[in-house]
Amino acid sequence: EDQVTQSPEALRLQEGESSSLNCSYTVSGLRGLFWYRQDPGKGPEFLFTLYSAGEEKEKERLKATLTKKESFLHITAPKPEDSATYLCAVQRYAGNNRKLIWGLGTSLAVNP
Amino acid sequence: GAVVSQHPSRVICKSGTSVKIECRSLDFQATTMFWYRQFPKQSLMLMATSNEGSKATYEQGVEKDKFLINHASLTLSTLTVTSAHPEDSSFYICSARGHSSTDTQYFGPGTRLTVL
């Protein structure tokens, strides 16, 4: 069965304290892995798409990497405005309108 | 680019009434739109997928006669919650995906529905 597991469930960092969020997945035929950021009471904001193992993408303080079993979202020197829930989702190659399979998210709080 | 809007952002209605939520892709053509529901501190639950000009495909357990979805154009999809009850109160979010091969879904800001 296709599954996405995110860890930790919640993470509290001090401003400037770098860390990583994990997204492990089991899916038959990965088409893509997506990272989103969601602020309270808002829709998810797209961050990255990764397609193949070894791929890396960066945006400001965020860097996403992908292996055959998991993805990491590295946050370098975070600021309080990086506080949000980070969602990971995977997409299979076949069928089902290529819908996304979602993890439960990691709630990140960055203290000043 | 890739902006999706939703209207209204917040709605309060009486039990038994129907509520319509609009989802628009503002700067791209959305061949596929998705409707999600999200409960507090939980992840997104896909309700249905709609392709322009076709009937929506509903996920298991979602009542298609209660949650009516129309995707009449490449920039507009609507979700109508019919005969709403308090248990329908939730945060409803739409997303849109265009022709691009990246398959990225872009999300609207969400609609908070409260049924009294």
Side-chain angles (χ1 to χ4, degrees):
Chain A
E1 184 184 343
D2 299 333
Q3 196 167 9
V4 177
T5 304
Q6 291 189 245
S7 61
E9 186 176 319
L11 181 63
R12 186 176 294 275
L13 300 173
Q14 287 298 123
E15 183 172 3
E17 179 187 1
S18 301
S19 188
S20 296
L21 312 182
N22 178 264
C23 172
S24 63
Y25 62 90
T26 53
V27 64
S28 51
L30 178 71
R31 180 180 174 94
L33 183 142
F34 301 80
W35 282 100
Y36 288 84
R37 167 196 170 126
Q38 186 176 24
D39 292 299
K42 297 188 177 180
E45 174 190 343
F46 171 70
L47 294 175
F48 304 109
T49 309
L50 301 167
Y51 292 103
S52 57
E55 189 175 1
E56 298 183 353
K57 288 193 177 173
E58 286 188 69
K59 179 181 177 181
E60 296 180 355
R61 295 177 293 283
L62 300 177
K63 179 180 176 181
T65 62
L66 180 66
T67 72
K68 289 186 178 180
K69 295 182 179 180
E70 59 192 347
S71 176
F72 290 95
L73 184 66
H74 306 278
I75 304 177
T76 302
K79 298 182 178 181
E81 52 262 42
D82 294 322
S83 298
T85 295
Y86 290 85
L87 298 169
C88 170
V90 299
Q91 185 184 56
R92 291 170 53 197
Y93 263 104
N96 289 327
N97 270 308
R98 305 201 303 274
K99 66 182 181 183
L100 298 179
I101 303 159
W102 294 88
L104 295 178
T106 292
S107 176
L108 174 66
V110 182
N111 297 324
Chain B
V3 179
V4 177
S5 69
Q6 262 183 261
H7 180 79
S9 58
R10 187 178 295 268
V11 58
I12 301 172
C13 68
K14 291 183 179 180
S15 186
T17 61
S18 294
V19 174
K20 180 184 283 190
I21 303 170
E22 289 189 351
C23 177
R24 293 181 184 273
S25 57
L26 300 185
D27 53 1
F28 69 102
Q29 293 186 324
T31 52
T32 306
M33 285 186 166
F34 303 83
W35 286 95
Y36 292 85
R37 185 172 179 177
Q38 188 173 35
F39 294 100
K41 298 192 183 298
Q42 293 190 24
S43 193
L44 302 167
M45 184 189 82
L46 180 65
M47 298 174 65
T49 303
S50 72
N51 293 299
E52 186 263 337
S54 303
K55 286 186 178 180
T57 302
Y58 289 81
E59 295 298 301
Q60 193 172 6
V62 177
E63 298 176 59
K64 60 182 179 182
D65 294 330
K66 181 166 189 63
F67 298 100
L68 301 179
I69 292 170
N70 183 277
H71 191 168
S73 77
L74 284 172
T75 60
L76 173 65
S77 176
T78 59
L79 167 68
T80 301
V81 183
T82 62
S83 186
H85 290 285
E87 58 266 29
D88 299 324
S89 298
S90 191
F91 190 52
Y92 293 88
I93 317 174
C94 73
S95 70
R97 185 177 72 200
H99 286 290
S100 168
S101 62
T102 64
D103 285 335
T104 300
Q105 291 184 30
Y106 296 94
F107 284 82
T111 297
R112 172 71 59 190
L113 170 64
T114 303
V115 185
L116 302 176

